[in-house]
Amino acid sequence: MQAEPKKSQAEQRAVAEPVSEPVSLVGEEYEVEVGPVAHGGHCIARTSEGQVLFVRHTLPGERVVARVTEGEEGARFLRADAVEILDPSKDRIEAPCPFAGPGRCGGCDWQHAKPGAQRRLKGEVVAEQLQRLAGLTPEEAGWDGTVMPAEGDKLPAGQVPSWRTRVQFAVDADGRAGLRRHRSHEIEPIDHCMIAAEGVSELGIERRDWPGMATVEAIAATGSQDRQVILTPRPGARLPIVELDRPVSVMRVEEKDGGVHRVHGRPFVRERADDRTYRVGSGGFWQVHPKAADTLVTAVMQGLLPRKGDMALDLYCGVGLFAGALADRVGDQGAVLGIESGKRAVEDARHNLAAFDRVRIEQGKVESVLPRTGIDEVDLIVLDPPRAGAGRKTVQHLSTLGARRIAYVACDPAALARDLGYFQDGGYRVRTLRVFDLFPMTHHVECVAILEPAGKGS
């Protein structure tokens, strides 16, 4: 038998000395001066020892007591909540929502900030991401720094716009509906969500019990009276009889395949935008703010200025919102190709755009399908990628197609900035950038960047 190799001294020590667990700092409190806002709904502060804190429920310039919610000794940063405000900002208000605050509902980030301050903070985040990840100043991006509220959302401090047309309620072990706490599976039971659209609130999800359910998603379509609930049962649970305050269709998420299946009523809702009705099935993606679809279509079309006869791409096209708008404007001599990975979304897009002979919708990932089409030249491109962005490879491909203009719709400013950097490498520059506050009270924004070849004069 061959003898085992002799262990080194370091290996012997590792066996003899057990590795100590990192020391958790959760619950520790620090009195800190709060610095700038950061991407993610928090501000940056430092302890007297120089430890970085990401602090929620505070505002730049405040002095607060911050209690650690995540992190351990030696971590690059700690997460914390401001649990006592020692020196408040002039932009601070009392949170209108009774469920907001440290350790409570995680759905909103800025309930404690005046509406105008929220938009300024979001603008600062977008500017910081552009500079850090794309090397662009707001001026170089053709942006004046304004974050525009949606129509009807410009309200006095203390009033909250009811905008969220799709709300997923979590259900606790007692069958009570609520919303999850920040970065947690714990549930905050609520009796009303202030940012929920009227069509969601009128269903009364929070006013009844949901035994055996894990989640209940409520959808209130824009431009129709369609209402839908999507139930996700806990393993082995039976569906309850759904009796709500308004007529609804009911869908169920199956435990085996995760698919969404009809229980009763229509398996889709009808959304309205750009003077067209769109079918959206099985809880598929549609902009959550009731004004968002029209706002974004207007911004994209104003930026692209489509012409009759143009060839256009709509990438990550969902149920065909931008493809439909493009098809209307490029006319019978133009053509639109949409690419979408979701099977049900592709079925809906084909249904929604069946009246256009020159629109084609392909299913699959953009980075796989687009090269297979053989397309080597287009006039216009719209891309509305998921939160992670399009990525270097896809942007490099798009940069070779010679598009006169490209519209990039983004829900994450970091991903947008990264991809804008790749577009710059590919010979495109940002002509204009518009930023919209389509998610009031949260840290999220929606951006529309219009790009053109760098050699083209402004």
Side-chain angles (χ1 to χ4, degrees):
M1 178 182 292
Q2 186 174 0
E4 291 186 6
K6 185 177 180 180
K7 289 186 173 65
S8 69
Q9 290 184 346
E11 290 173 318
Q12 293 176 40
R13 282 198 303 273
V15 172
E17 301 173 8
V19 177
S20 60
E21 291 292 325
V23 176
S24 172
L25 295 177
V26 173
E28 291 290 318
E29 294 185 352
Y30 301 92
E31 186 175 317
V32 294
E33 297 278 356
V34 179
V37 65
H39 184 31
H42 51 253
C43 297
I44 298 174
R46 290 183 182 271
T47 68
S48 56
E49 292 81 25
Q51 174 69 65
V52 174
L53 299 177
F54 289 167
V55 189
R56 283 172 56 81
H57 309 291
T58 189
L59 294 168
E62 292 188 326
R63 187 164 188 81
V64 304
V65 175
R67 180 182 297 155
V68 177
T69 57
E70 290 182 48
E72 56 198 27
E73 283 188 354
R76 192 163 56 90
F77 61 85
L78 308 174
R79 296 185 183 274
D81 284 341
V83 294
E84 185 178 354
I85 311 303
L86 304 176
D87 185 9
S89 165
K90 62 180 176 56
D91 290 323
R92 174 174 286 276
I93 60 171
E94 183 176 351
C97 178
F99 306 107
R104 306 294 300 279
C105 173
C108 292
D109 306 293
W110 300 118
Q111 286 270 351
H112 58 284
K114 294 177 181 177
Q118 294 183 36
R119 292 191 286 272
R120 288 197 303 273
L121 293 170
K122 295 182 185 190
E124 290 172 15
V125 168
V126 173
E128 189 272 336
Q129 297 294 304
L130 285 173
Q131 181 64 61
R132 186 167 64 86
L133 298 174
L136 290 171
T137 65
E139 293 77 15
E140 289 169 333
W143 175 46
D144 64 3
T146 302
V147 178
M148 295 294 297
E151 180 185 342
D153 279 359
K154 200 167 185 178
L155 300 174
Q159 294 187 28
V160 177
S162 302
W163 57 270
R164 193 171 186 92
T165 60
R166 296 174 178 229
V167 179
Q168 186 177 81
F169 297 92
V171 181
D172 67 16
D174 296 323
R176 296 177 301 175
L179 297 170
R180 297 198 185 277
R181 292 166 182 159
H182 182 62
R183 294 176 60 84
S184 172
H185 292 294
E186 294 181 0
I187 297 169
E188 179 78 16
I190 65 171
D191 56 26
H192 176 63
C193 175
M194 294 188 74
I195 67 171
E198 182 180 351
V200 169
S201 295
E202 68 185 13
L203 294 178
I205 301 293
E206 309 97 316
R207 295 190 291 274
R208 64 152 293 168
D209 292 332
W210 298 93
M213 297 300 101
T215 64
V216 178
E217 183 175 4
I219 300 172
T222 300
S224 77
Q225 292 301 308
D226 292 352
R227 304 290 182 262
Q228 187 177 84
V229 294
I230 302 174
L231 304 177
T232 304
R234 297 182 186 276
R238 298 178 62 183
L239 286 186
I241 296 174
V242 178
E243 295 178 342
L244 295 175
D245 297 342
R246 294 289 188 278
V248 296
S249 61
V250 179
M251 308 289 287
R252 171 193 175 117
V253 178
E254 293 293 343
E255 181 181 344
K256 292 182 180 179
D257 60 7
V260 182
H261 301 278
R262 185 177 74 90
V263 177
H264 70 75
R266 290 192 186 99
F268 57 84
V269 296
R270 292 165 297 177
E271 301 280 4
R272 188 80 180 163
D274 195 39
D275 296 325
R276 182 172 298 280
T277 297
Y278 289 85
R279 186 183 80 181
V280 184
S282 302
F285 175 79
W286 185 262
Q287 290 288 341
V288 181
H289 195 292
K291 300 290 185 182
D294 276 326
T295 297
L296 296 174
V297 166
T298 298
V300 167
M301 295 303 124
Q302 287 177 346
L304 291 181
L305 298 176
R307 302 169 186 167
K308 297 296 184 183
D310 276 343
M311 165 59 192
L313 297 177
D314 180 11
L315 308 179
Y316 317 93
C317 71
V319 300
L321 173 64
F322 296 116
L326 286 165
D328 269 335
R329 290 157 175 84
V330 302
D332 294 340
Q333 299 305 309
V336 180
L337 171 66
I339 301 177
E340 165 60 37
S341 62
K343 181 179 179 181
R344 180 55 197 262
V346 167
E347 292 173 1
D348 286 336
R350 289 171 177 165
H351 169 86
N352 294 333
L353 305 177
F356 295 105
D357 294 335
R358 301 273 290 168
V359 173
R360 189 168 98 247
I361 307 295
E362 297 288 347
Q363 184 190 348
K365 293 184 177 181
V366 169
E367 60 269 27
S368 301
V369 173
L370 187 56
R372 294 203 303 264
T373 64
I375 293 173
D376 58 10
E377 187 176 0
V378 297
D379 297 299
L380 302 173
I381 299 172
V382 180
L383 64 158
D384 185 5
R387 190 166 300 279
R392 185 190 296 272
K393 182 179 178 181
T394 296
V395 170
Q396 286 176 337
H397 187 170
L398 298 181
S399 299
T400 68
L401 299 181
R404 181 174 76 248
R405 287 195 179 173
I406 298 172
Y408 190 128
V409 182
C411 61
D412 184 89
L416 170 66
R418 280 193 296 270
D419 285 348
L420 291 183
Y422 302 147
F423 272 115
Q424 289 182 101
D425 294 341
Y428 277 80
R429 71 177 185 97
V430 186
R431 178 184 175 87
T432 61
L433 174 67
R434 298 176 71 182
V435 184
F436 300 97
D437 187 15
L438 300 181
F439 309 90
M441 302 292 156
T442 78
H443 74 272
H444 300 289
V445 294
E446 199 82 14
C447 300
V448 176
I450 304 297
L451 300 98
E452 65 182 9
K456 187 174 181 179
S458 57

